[in-house]
Amino acid sequence: MLVLISHRESVKITLRPETENDIEAIDDLLNLAFAFDAHSKQDETWILQNLRTSGKLLLSLVAIDEAGELVGQIAFSPVEIDDGSPEGLKDWIGLGPMSVNPRLQRMGIGRQLIEAGLNEMKSRGVSGCVVLGEPGFYERFGFETCGNLILSGAPAPFFMARAFKGEMAKGIVHYDKAFSGD
Ligand SMILES: CC(C)(COP(=O)(O)OP(=O)(O)OC[C@H]1O[C@@H](n2cnc3c(N)ncnc32)[C@H](O)[C@@H]1OP(=O)(O)O)[C@@H](O)C(=O)NCCC(=O)NCCS
């Protein structure tokens, strides 16, 4: 089991995988963190539940503060990349959703969630990770925009990827149907 304890700017948190008992608190967190996000359709709790139900939630880490409150969360799920080959690429993942309680943002919790999450997924042997989000944030973690890796409908500067091994993937990226409900 993955457990990390860290101290930064007076917020001491523990990271661990989500359990069933966390789901209500995760939903509350997502609703709070994305409430005023203009890029969000406020469907993050629905997506996560779809991923859980379909067994596609590869990893969901939660950050717990000293009082036992769930203050952050990050999720990873598989993506498929149509690179023109008969099989396509099936060993890449997508990061998201992720969020930190607005009360505790900019205090290093998001960084710890991403670093621990990526390390865990790397250790499982995945080839790379894609993310749709704020470049100013995700570039800090080695993500870069790639002209040859495309997510339909996403503005190119906001769709980024990081290869863990081998070359950067090329092709059309498909998130799991949990994201669209199709
Ligand atoms: C994005 C989010 C998860 C970041 O969490 P956080 O705990 O505030 O992030 P951290 O404090 O660990 O920040 C890590 C670094 O990124 C920077 N950073 C944080 N938010 C940033 C942003 N929106 N844009 C650019 N840089 C940002 C921090 O200043 C910090 O820099 P430093 O390491 O040089 O000091 C949080 O702001 C959030 O929940 N936002 C609402 C939901 C959302 O947008 N989720 C992501 C899309 S799925």
Side-chain angles (χ1 to χ4, degrees):
M1 177 161 104
L2 190 138
V3 176
L4 287 175
I5 298 177
S6 130
H7 213 136
R8 177 176 158 166
E9 307 221 358
S10 80
V11 184
K12 186 178 176 188
I13 57 158
T14 303
L15 301 187
R16 59 162 174 77
E18 74 164 41
T19 69
E20 215 174 308
N21 294 336
D22 296 320
I23 292 176
E24 202 178 321
I26 292 172
D27 285 355
D28 290 346
L29 170 71
L30 289 168
N31 288 331
L32 185 66
F34 285 98
F36 302 107
D37 185 332
H39 302 293
S40 164
K41 294 183 200 153
Q42 278 77 44
D43 58 358
E44 290 79 13
T45 60
W46 177 80
I47 290 169
L48 261 189
Q49 193 51 41
N50 286 346
L51 288 170
R52 288 187 193 105
T53 308
S54 61
K56 297 290 179 65
L57 187 56
L58 298 176
L59 177 66
S60 169
L61 281 182
V62 293
I64 310 293
D65 74 4
E66 280 183 293
E69 186 186 345
L70 192 151
V71 294
Q73 189 262 351
I74 189 168
F76 296 89
S77 58
V79 295
E80 288 190 16
I81 302 178
D82 181 359
D83 65 346
S85 67
E87 304 266 299
L89 299 178
K90 293 193 164 49
D91 57 351
W92 279 65
I93 54 165
L95 185 168
M98 81 166 290
S99 62
V100 169
N101 187 311
R103 183 170 53 83
L104 297 172
Q105 286 175 7
R106 302 267 178 167
M107 298 177 92
I109 297 173
R111 171 180 289 282
Q112 292 174 67
L113 281 165
I114 291 185
E115 289 178 348
L118 291 178
N119 281 339
E120 170 65 17
M121 295 312 299
K122 260 163 76 177
S123 77
R124 295 187 194 182
V126 302
S127 289
C129 183
V130 299
V131 69
L132 179 63
E134 185 59 50
F137 179 65
Y138 289 106
E139 280 168 6
R140 294 165 190 271
F141 304 100
F143 287 90
E144 54 185 320
T145 50
C146 325
N148 292 322
L149 198 56
I150 291 154
L151 179 68
S152 173
F158 293 90
F159 187 60
M160 291 156 280
R162 176 176 159 185
F164 297 143
K165 56 186 181 190
E167 290 182 0
M168 181 60 76
K170 294 177 187 166
I172 312 288
V173 178
H174 300 280
Y175 276 78
D176 189 78
K177 61 184 179 190
F179 283 77
S180 58
D182 295 340

